[in-house]
C-alpha cells in the first residue's frame, strides 16, 4: 500500500515542479513582451528641418536618428557650404524625451529664434534655427503642439 502512495506523491511532486517551471517561463515571456512594448513607445520621434540655402529652392529634410550634426564637414548630417558655418557648427540631439540644440563652440554662434544660444536648449515646433546664413524651421511631423504652446515666450 505504501508503494502506490509514494508513486502518487512522486507524480504529484513532478506535476507541481513542471507547473512551477511553466509558470516561471510564462512570467518571463510576459515581461519580455512588456519590455518590448515599452521600448517601442520610446522610439525617437522624427524631426523635420525646412530650410533655404542661398540660390536654392526651399528644401525639407527629415531625421529619425538620435543625433544630427550641422556644419561644413563631410561627416555632418546637414552640410552647409558657407564660410560663416564652422566645420562642426551645432548638434541636434534627442534625449530626456525632447529634442535639444547645442552649439559646438562655433565661430559665429548658433541662433534660436534670433537669440544666441549659450547652453543646450530644448526645441519646440515652429522654432527658427540659424547657423551662419542658413535659416531652418523646426517641425515635428505627427506631433501636435500642446494647447497654448503657440506664441509662448522662452
Amino acid at each position: 500500500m505504501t508503494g502506490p502512495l509514494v508513486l502518487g506523491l512522486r507524480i504529484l511532486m513532478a506535476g507541481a515542479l513542471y507547473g512551477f517551471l511553466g509558470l516561471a517561463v510564462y512570467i518571463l515571456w510576459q515581461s519580455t513582451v512588456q519590455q518590448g512594448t515599452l521600448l517601442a513607445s520610446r522610439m525617437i520621434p522624427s524631426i523635420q528641418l525646412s530650410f533655404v540655402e542661398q540660390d536654392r529652392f526651399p528644401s525639407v529634410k527629415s531625421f529619425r536618428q538620435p543625433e544630427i550634426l550641422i556644419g561644413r564637414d563631410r561627416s555632418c548630417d546637414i552640410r552647409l557650404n558657407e564660410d560663416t558655418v564652422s566645420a562642426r557648427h551645432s548638434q541636434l540631439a534627442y534625449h530626456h524625451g525632447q529634442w535639444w540644440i547645442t552649439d559646438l563652440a562655433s565661430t559665429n554662434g548658433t541662433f534660436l529664434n534670433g537669440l544666441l544660444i549659450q547652453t543646450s536648449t530644448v526645441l519646440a515646433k515652429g522654432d527658427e534655427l540659424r547657423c551662419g546664413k542658413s535659416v531652418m524651421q523646426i517641425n515635428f511631423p505627427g506631433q501636435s503642439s500642446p494647447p497654448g504652446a503657440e506664441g509662448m515666450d522662452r
Side-chain angles (χ1 to χ4, degrees):
M1 176 114 175
T2 59
L5 183 62
V6 171
L7 180 63
L9 286 174
R10 284 183 176 175
I11 292 173
L12 186 63
M13 289 296 287
L17 180 62
Y18 283 116
F20 174 76
L21 290 175
L23 180 63
V25 168
Y26 176 76
I27 290 171
L28 286 173
W29 178 73
Q30 286 292 336
S31 176
T32 303
V33 168
Q34 286 177 349
Q35 187 70 16
T37 304
L38 179 65
L39 289 175
S41 69
R42 288 186 181 175
M43 286 181 58
I44 299 168
S46 65
I47 186 169
Q48 195 174 61
L49 302 172
S50 306
F51 61 99
V52 178
E53 290 187 42
Q54 289 179 324
D55 303 328
R56 291 195 180 178
F57 294 107
S59 62
V60 177
K61 291 189 177 183
S62 294
F63 298 93
R64 290 193 74 92
Q65 60 207 51
E67 292 181 352
I68 302 162
L69 285 175
I70 301 171
R72 278 194 337 245
D73 193 57
R74 291 187 188 275
S75 65
C76 291
D77 301 299
I78 299 175
R79 288 189 57 206
L80 302 174
N81 294 320
E82 298 179 19
D83 293 336
T84 56
V85 174
S86 298
R88 292 173 44 100
H89 195 93
S90 58
Q91 178 185 40
L92 299 169
Y94 184 80
H95 54 88
H96 297 102
Q98 297 176 330
W99 280 98
W100 298 70
I101 180 72
T102 305
D103 184 68
L104 300 176
S106 63
T107 305
N108 296 315
T110 302
F111 294 82
L112 183 63
N113 297 326
L115 301 173
L116 179 67
I117 60 169
Q118 304 284 331
T119 62
S120 293
T121 307
V122 175
L123 294 172
K125 185 176 183 177
D127 278 349
E128 193 173 271
L129 180 64
R130 183 167 59 89
C131 298
K133 296 175 185 173
S134 294
V135 178
M136 297 163 262
Q137 186 170 20
I138 307 296
N139 190 19
F140 305 108
Q143 177 186 15
S144 61
S145 55
E150 298 297 323
M152 286 180 59
D153 292 333
R154 291 182 181 259

